[in-house]
mmCIF file of all heavy atoms in Angstrom:
data_model
loop_
_atom_site.group_PDB
_atom_site.id
_atom_site.type_symbol
_atom_site.label_atom_id
_atom_site.label_comp_id
_atom_site.label_asym_id
_atom_site.label_seq_id
_atom_site.Cartn_x
_atom_site.Cartn_y
_atom_site.Cartn_z
ATOM 1 N N GLN A 24 -28.935 3.348 -31.793
ATOM 2 C CA GLN A 24 -28.842 2.072 -32.494
ATOM 3 C C GLN A 24 -29.488 0.943 -31.707
ATOM 4 O O GLN A 24 -29.724 -0.123 -32.240
ATOM 5 C CB GLN A 24 -27.374 1.739 -32.784
ATOM 6 C CG GLN A 24 -26.715 2.731 -33.709
ATOM 7 C CD GLN A 24 -25.228 2.497 -33.842
ATOM 8 O OE1 GLN A 24 -24.678 1.514 -33.358
ATOM 9 N NE2 GLN A 24 -24.554 3.416 -34.522
ATOM 10 N N GLY A 25 -29.767 1.177 -30.433
ATOM 11 C CA GLY A 25 -30.398 0.164 -29.600
ATOM 12 C C GLY A 25 -30.059 0.411 -28.144
ATOM 13 O O GLY A 25 -29.069 1.060 -27.839
ATOM 14 N N SER A 26 -30.892 -0.110 -27.266
ATOM 15 C CA SER A 26 -30.636 0.120 -25.843
ATOM 16 C C SER A 26 -30.565 -1.203 -25.087
ATOM 17 O O SER A 26 -31.129 -1.342 -24.011
ATOM 18 C CB SER A 26 -31.711 1.034 -25.246
ATOM 19 O OG SER A 26 -32.990 0.463 -25.425
ATOM 20 N N ASP A 27 -29.857 -2.163 -25.688
ATOM 21 C CA ASP A 27 -29.650 -3.431 -24.999
ATOM 22 C C ASP A 27 -28.611 -3.250 -23.893
ATOM 23 O O ASP A 27 -28.034 -2.170 -23.722
ATOM 24 C CB ASP A 27 -29.233 -4.530 -25.977
ATOM 25 C CG ASP A 27 -27.933 -4.228 -26.714
ATOM 26 O OD1 ASP A 27 -27.373 -3.127 -26.523
ATOM 27 O OD2 ASP A 27 -27.488 -5.088 -27.475
ATOM 28 N N GLU A 28 -28.386 -4.283 -23.134
ATOM 29 C CA GLU A 28 -27.476 -4.186 -21.989
ATOM 30 C C GLU A 28 -26.064 -3.786 -22.400
ATOM 31 O O GLU A 28 -25.424 -2.965 -21.737
ATOM 32 C CB GLU A 28 -27.436 -5.512 -21.227
ATOM 33 C CG GLU A 28 -26.619 -5.440 -19.953
ATOM 34 C CD GLU A 28 -26.652 -6.731 -19.148
ATOM 35 O OE1 GLU A 28 -27.442 -7.636 -19.468
ATOM 36 O OE2 GLU A 28 -25.857 -6.821 -18.207
ATOM 37 N N GLN A 29 -25.561 -4.323 -23.509
ATOM 38 C CA GLN A 29 -24.207 -3.991 -23.969
ATOM 39 C C GLN A 29 -24.105 -2.513 -24.349
ATOM 40 O O GLN A 29 -23.112 -1.859 -24.048
ATOM 41 C CB GLN A 29 -23.796 -4.884 -25.142
ATOM 42 C CG GLN A 29 -22.365 -4.666 -25.600
ATOM 43 C CD GLN A 29 -21.354 -4.909 -24.489
ATOM 44 O OE1 GLN A 29 -21.439 -5.874 -23.751
ATOM 45 N NE2 GLN A 29 -20.391 -4.009 -24.344
ATOM 46 N N SER A 30 -25.125 -1.988 -24.988
ATOM 47 C CA SER A 30 -25.125 -0.568 -25.352
ATOM 48 C C SER A 30 -25.096 0.313 -24.120
ATOM 49 O O SER A 30 -24.355 1.298 -24.059
ATOM 50 C CB SER A 30 -26.371 -0.228 -26.193
ATOM 51 O OG SER A 30 -26.357 -0.917 -27.408
ATOM 52 N N ILE A 31 -25.893 -0.045 -23.139
ATOM 53 C CA ILE A 31 -25.945 0.735 -21.904
ATOM 54 C C ILE A 31 -24.599 0.682 -21.181
ATOM 55 O O ILE A 31 -24.106 1.702 -20.689
ATOM 56 C CB ILE A 31 -27.102 0.255 -21.009
ATOM 57 C CG1 ILE A 31 -28.430 0.587 -21.695
ATOM 58 C CG2 ILE A 31 -27.028 0.874 -19.623
ATOM 59 C CD1 ILE A 31 -29.644 -0.060 -21.071
ATOM 60 N N LEU A 32 -23.967 -0.474 -21.154
ATOM 61 C CA LEU A 32 -22.645 -0.596 -20.528
ATOM 62 C C LEU A 32 -21.604 0.224 -21.282
ATOM 63 O O LEU A 32 -20.730 0.853 -20.668
ATOM 64 C CB LEU A 32 -22.219 -2.059 -20.445
ATOM 65 C CG LEU A 32 -23.004 -2.931 -19.455
ATOM 66 C CD1 LEU A 32 -22.596 -4.396 -19.601
ATOM 67 C CD2 LEU A 32 -22.809 -2.440 -18.029
ATOM 68 N N SER A 33 -21.695 0.244 -22.605
ATOM 69 C CA SER A 33 -20.763 1.034 -23.417
ATOM 70 C C SER A 33 -20.928 2.524 -23.131
ATOM 71 O O SER A 33 -19.946 3.254 -22.985
ATOM 72 C CB SER A 33 -20.986 0.778 -24.905
ATOM 73 O OG SER A 33 -20.672 -0.547 -25.228
ATOM 74 N N VAL A 34 -22.172 2.957 -23.051
ATOM 75 C CA VAL A 34 -22.461 4.358 -22.755
ATOM 76 C C VAL A 34 -21.945 4.718 -21.364
ATOM 77 O O VAL A 34 -21.313 5.762 -21.171
ATOM 78 C CB VAL A 34 -23.977 4.635 -22.881
ATOM 79 C CG1 VAL A 34 -24.357 5.954 -22.249
ATOM 80 C CG2 VAL A 34 -24.383 4.595 -24.343
ATOM 81 N N GLN A 35 -22.201 3.854 -20.403
ATOM 82 C CA GLN A 35 -21.728 4.097 -19.047
ATOM 83 C C GLN A 35 -20.209 4.243 -19.033
ATOM 84 O O GLN A 35 -19.664 5.157 -18.412
ATOM 85 C CB GLN A 35 -22.164 2.963 -18.131
ATOM 86 C CG GLN A 35 -21.747 3.139 -16.693
ATOM 87 C CD GLN A 35 -22.177 1.956 -15.820
ATOM 88 O OE1 GLN A 35 -22.565 0.901 -16.318
ATOM 89 N NE2 GLN A 35 -22.101 2.139 -14.522
ATOM 90 N N PHE A 36 -19.516 3.363 -19.740
ATOM 91 C CA PHE A 36 -18.060 3.411 -19.796
ATOM 92 C C PHE A 36 -17.570 4.711 -20.438
ATOM 93 O O PHE A 36 -16.676 5.383 -19.904
ATOM 94 C CB PHE A 36 -17.522 2.199 -20.559
ATOM 95 C CG PHE A 36 -16.029 2.205 -20.704
ATOM 96 C CD1 PHE A 36 -15.217 1.824 -19.645
ATOM 97 C CD2 PHE A 36 -15.433 2.592 -21.887
ATOM 98 C CE1 PHE A 36 -13.832 1.835 -19.774
ATOM 99 C CE2 PHE A 36 -14.060 2.609 -22.028
ATOM 100 C CZ PHE A 36 -13.254 2.223 -20.964
ATOM 101 N N LEU A 37 -18.159 5.077 -21.591
ATOM 102 C CA LEU A 37 -17.748 6.301 -22.284
ATOM 103 C C LEU A 37 -17.897 7.534 -21.395
ATOM 104 O O LEU A 37 -17.002 8.376 -21.309
ATOM 105 C CB LEU A 37 -18.585 6.508 -23.548
ATOM 106 C CG LEU A 37 -18.234 5.702 -24.772
ATOM 107 C CD1 LEU A 37 -19.274 5.929 -25.863
ATOM 108 C CD2 LEU A 37 -16.859 6.092 -25.279
ATOM 109 N N LEU A 38 -19.046 7.641 -20.723
ATOM 110 C CA LEU A 38 -19.304 8.812 -19.890
ATOM 111 C C LEU A 38 -18.400 8.847 -18.665
ATOM 112 O O LEU A 38 -17.883 9.907 -18.297
ATOM 113 C CB LEU A 38 -20.776 8.864 -19.494
ATOM 114 C CG LEU A 38 -21.756 9.086 -20.650
ATOM 115 C CD1 LEU A 38 -23.191 8.958 -20.162
ATOM 116 C CD2 LEU A 38 -21.527 10.432 -21.316
ATOM 117 N N GLN A 39 -18.185 7.691 -18.043
ATOM 118 C CA GLN A 39 -17.293 7.647 -16.879
ATOM 119 C C GLN A 39 -15.871 8.039 -17.263
ATOM 120 O O GLN A 39 -15.214 8.800 -16.545
ATOM 121 C CB GLN A 39 -17.291 6.257 -16.238
ATOM 122 C CG GLN A 39 -18.536 5.955 -15.450
ATOM 123 C CD GLN A 39 -18.538 4.527 -14.912
ATOM 124 O OE1 GLN A 39 -17.928 3.622 -15.470
ATOM 125 N NE2 GLN A 39 -19.261 4.329 -13.819
ATOM 126 N N GLN A 40 -15.387 7.529 -18.392
ATOM 127 C CA GLN A 40 -14.037 7.857 -18.836
ATOM 128 C C GLN A 40 -13.901 9.350 -19.131
ATOM 129 O O GLN A 40 -12.904 9.968 -18.767
ATOM 130 C CB GLN A 40 -13.664 7.038 -20.079
ATOM 131 C CG GLN A 40 -13.501 5.560 -19.809
ATOM 132 C CD GLN A 40 -12.390 5.283 -18.823
ATOM 133 O OE1 GLN A 40 -11.255 5.699 -19.023
ATOM 134 N NE2 GLN A 40 -12.712 4.592 -17.756
ATOM 135 N N ALA A 41 -14.899 9.917 -19.795
ATOM 136 C CA ALA A 41 -14.847 11.342 -20.115
ATOM 137 C C ALA A 41 -14.842 12.190 -18.849
ATOM 138 O O ALA A 41 -14.089 13.170 -18.756
ATOM 139 C CB ALA A 41 -16.032 11.725 -21.005
ATOM 140 N N LEU A 42 -15.657 11.826 -17.882
ATOM 141 C CA LEU A 42 -15.693 12.582 -16.628
ATOM 142 C C LEU A 42 -14.377 12.478 -15.869
ATOM 143 O O LEU A 42 -13.891 13.469 -15.313
ATOM 144 C CB LEU A 42 -16.858 12.117 -15.751
ATOM 145 C CG LEU A 42 -18.242 12.518 -16.243
ATOM 146 C CD1 LEU A 42 -19.322 11.854 -15.394
ATOM 147 C CD2 LEU A 42 -18.404 14.026 -16.237
#
Side-chain angles (χ1 to χ4, degrees):
Q24 297 172 8
S26 58
D27 60 356
E28 186 176 351
Q29 184 59 44
S30 296
I31 293 169
L32 290 173
S33 295
V34 165
Q35 181 182 13
F36 178 79
L37 281 173
L38 294 173
Q39 285 176 333
Q40 292 298 305
L42 289 173

